[in-house]
Amino acid sequence: MAKFEDFEGRTSAWCPGCGNFGILKSFKQAMVELELEPHQFTIVSGIGQSGKFPHYVRCNTFNGLHGRSLPVATGLRLANHRMPVFAFAGDGDCYGEGGNHLTHAIRRNINVKLFVHDNQIYGLTKGQPSPTSMEGTVSKIQPMGLISESFNPVAYATALDCSFVARGYAGDGDHLKELIKKAVNHQGFSLVDILQPCVTFNKVNTYDWYKERCYYLEPEYDSHNRIKAFERALEYGERIPLGVLYKSERPCYEDRVPAIEAMPLVKQVSAPPVLKELMEEFF
């Protein structure tokens, strides 16, 4: 059985106090408790401070282009649908550049687990507003305040009937660890939006700001009730619910692909004779 230290990667370049540290620790603890070994899963990321996540975890990794973690994760699942694939992204990376990929990953219900580091700012590029920045946010490029309204990812995912929608907080590692485990154990596309302070560039959404507003969903809360889930998902401001907001059970994309029904692509014989003959016609 793997230990926490077995997942140690490179030395982090994140700012001291960054919410990313809480996410990293919770993820490694979740992998230990799920009894996954480093070689048994793959992490994919795009660009941003969240994009560095694979550098800090010892496992199979792929660090690609901005907003493109989900297409790569989808390809990995179709190549080997027996290997868990986890995508890590930032709010700008996923809800901005990668918004189209998020929409269609939810629609297909590919069995990928997406963890979004939501600090409501572009941290890597020095603090521009992101899609989840609150209206009126003042930044270096928006000195008069952000005009656009804030994007609500959990309401959006619930509206699209996403298979698993949750919101966590980097400041509560134990709760976040449990959410990660639930997302991994769920069959279908899972979105965990993780609120986290950016201690360098976001001076509004601080640890104290979240502490005053975040609350946990009640034990009797029914996450299968989509209407109620949508009502909770719309709560953001004075009160912010944490937990599994919505779940639904429907077939995964991989389960509906005949070519991989018997075995993963990686275990199938490549280049059958008919394909070889066809290729030779062109080359």
Side-chain angles (χ1 to χ4, degrees):
M1 180 176 171
K3 303 184 295 297
F4 185 90
E5 294 74 19
D6 294 333
F7 297 98
E8 289 294 331
R10 298 179 183 175
T11 302
S12 169
W14 290 325
C15 302
C18 176
N20 284 332
F21 286 106
I23 300 172
L24 181 65
K25 182 179 180 181
S26 295
F27 177 77
K28 291 178 180 177
Q29 290 175 332
M31 295 301 101
V32 172
E33 295 184 17
L34 289 167
E35 299 185 0
L36 283 170
E37 301 281 345
H39 69 278
Q40 291 178 319
F41 63 92
T42 299
I43 289 178
V44 181
S45 75
I47 299 297
Q49 295 293 357
S50 65
K52 299 175 182 176
F53 199 90
H55 304 182
Y56 309 145
V57 183
R58 179 172 169 265
C59 64
N60 304 299
T61 62
F62 187 97
N63 186 188
L65 301 175
H66 209 184
R68 303 295 184 265
S69 59
L70 288 177
V72 175
T74 298
L76 287 169
R77 281 291 299 175
L78 292 177
N80 185 2
H81 61 284
R82 292 178 183 169
M83 172 173 281
V85 177
F86 309 134
F88 283 82
D91 42 300
D93 182 45
C94 184
Y95 305 142
E97 284 81 356
N100 180 54
H101 299 302
L102 174 63
T103 298
H104 296 288
I106 292 173
R107 183 173 63 85
R108 296 183 182 112
N109 199 29
I110 189 82
N111 197 357
V112 166
K113 316 305 170 188
L114 171 63
F115 303 103
V116 180
H117 301 219
D118 190 353
N119 60 7
Q120 300 174 258
I121 209 82
Y122 281 93
L124 184 66
T125 48
K126 314 303 183 190
Q128 299 93 335
S130 80
T132 55
S133 297
M134 296 189 300
E135 186 176 358
T137 296
V138 175
S139 72
K140 294 175 183 175
I141 63 170
Q142 300 277 4
M144 304 302 291
L146 180 64
I147 297 172
S148 302
E149 294 183 4
S150 179
F151 176 74
N152 185 327
V154 292
Y156 179 77
T158 301
L160 290 179
D161 196 21
C162 181
S163 187
F164 181 99
V165 184
R167 177 186 276 140
Y169 171 47
D172 186 344
D174 289 338
H175 183 263
L176 178 58
K177 177 192 68 177
E178 295 303 319
L179 282 185
I180 292 172
K181 289 163 60 179
K182 289 177 182 176
V184 172
N185 287 328
H186 180 77
Q187 291 298 307
F189 184 80
S190 301
L191 167 65
V192 183
D193 184 71
I194 306 170
L195 303 174
Q196 62 149 119
C198 173
V199 296
T200 301
F201 296 109
N202 188 338
K203 302 302 183 184
V204 175
N205 309 112
T206 62
Y207 285 101
D208 287 340
W209 191 91
Y210 286 119
K211 185 177 180 180
E212 292 173 1
R213 291 164 173 79
C214 289
Y215 75 95
Y216 301 102
L217 292 170
E218 306 80 13
E220 63 272 19
Y221 175 78
D222 180 9
S223 58
H224 288 89
N225 187 324
R226 194 174 174 193
I227 300 298
K228 294 294 183 184
F230 197 67
E231 291 176 356
R232 294 300 183 102
L234 291 177
E235 280 191 62
Y236 194 90
E238 294 305 313
R239 285 170 59 79
I240 305 173
L242 302 179
V244 181
L245 293 160
Y246 180 62
K247 283 195 303 183
S248 67
E249 282 75 34
R250 55 192 175 96
C252 299
Y253 187 82
E254 303 91 310
D255 297 337
R256 292 174 286 176
V257 179
I260 59 175
E261 184 177 0
M263 66 176 68
L265 281 180
V266 294
K267 293 187 177 297
Q268 296 182 29
V269 177
S270 61
V274 64
L275 180 59
K276 184 173 183 295
E277 294 173 6
L278 184 63
M279 295 296 287
E280 287 176 349
E281 289 183 22
F282 296 98
F283 300 100

